[in-house]
Amino acid sequence: MPSILIIDDEWKVRAFLREALAGAGFDVTEAGSGKEGLELYSKAPTDLVITDLFMGEDHGLEMILRLTQEFPKAKVIAISGGGEFEDPNYFLKIARSVGAKEVLPKPVAIGDLLQTVQKVLKG
């Protein structure tokens, strides 16, 4: 069963993602910050990382960049509601340029999530 690390500072989002992914048969680990996520991944790399881009003091773009530099084979899906910016997809576009394989806007639909996870894991 593939393993997935979810990184998001909102426990409700982590719970939603965990339930959807665990229900589909994935082994799920959670982190509430980019720092915690990097520490967990360093100790036990997962098959996939799903990370938010805006997490309190952490910035998901920096975390993705560090993760993919330290672990070039890391597979990452970035998720974001866009914050308070005019173009809610602006940072999702940047996430691709710093190492995310795929991006999903929040709120994330379960069908889109599972389809994207399968796509990234196969790629």
Side-chain angles (χ1 to χ4, degrees):
M1 127 180 23
S3 59
I4 299 176
L5 171 60
I6 299 168
I7 306 172
D8 198 304
D9 62 332
E10 295 182 50
W11 70 267
K12 288 181 181 180
V13 173
R14 289 194 316 269
F16 168 78
L17 295 173
R18 178 187 64 241
E19 289 179 26
L21 294 166
F26 295 101
D27 180 25
V28 180
T29 305
E30 298 176 47
S33 70
K35 180 180 178 183
E36 180 186 3
L38 283 171
E39 289 172 5
L40 287 172
Y41 192 90
S42 296
K43 292 176 185 173
T46 56
D47 297 307
L48 177 65
V49 174
I50 299 175
T51 185
D52 188 19
L53 295 182
F54 298 101
M55 298 178 284
E57 294 181 16
D58 290 333
H59 200 291
L61 292 174
E62 293 172 15
M63 196 280 308
I64 293 169
L65 186 59
R66 284 188 54 205
L67 179 69
T68 56
Q69 285 178 341
E70 291 179 35
F71 304 95
K73 294 183 179 183
K75 294 180 179 181
V76 180
I77 296 173
I79 60 174
S80 178
E84 299 178 10
F85 298 91
E86 275 187 39
D87 179 359
N89 295 316
Y90 177 76
F91 285 99
L92 288 174
K93 293 172 189 172
I94 294 173
R96 284 184 183 273
S97 70
V98 297
K101 303 290 184 196
E102 288 292 334
V103 298
L104 289 168
K106 283 184 179 178
V108 177
I110 291 175
D112 293 340
L113 172 69
L114 296 176
Q115 181 179 14
T116 302
V117 165
Q118 291 295 341
K119 177 181 176 184
V120 172
L121 287 172
K122 287 179 183 177

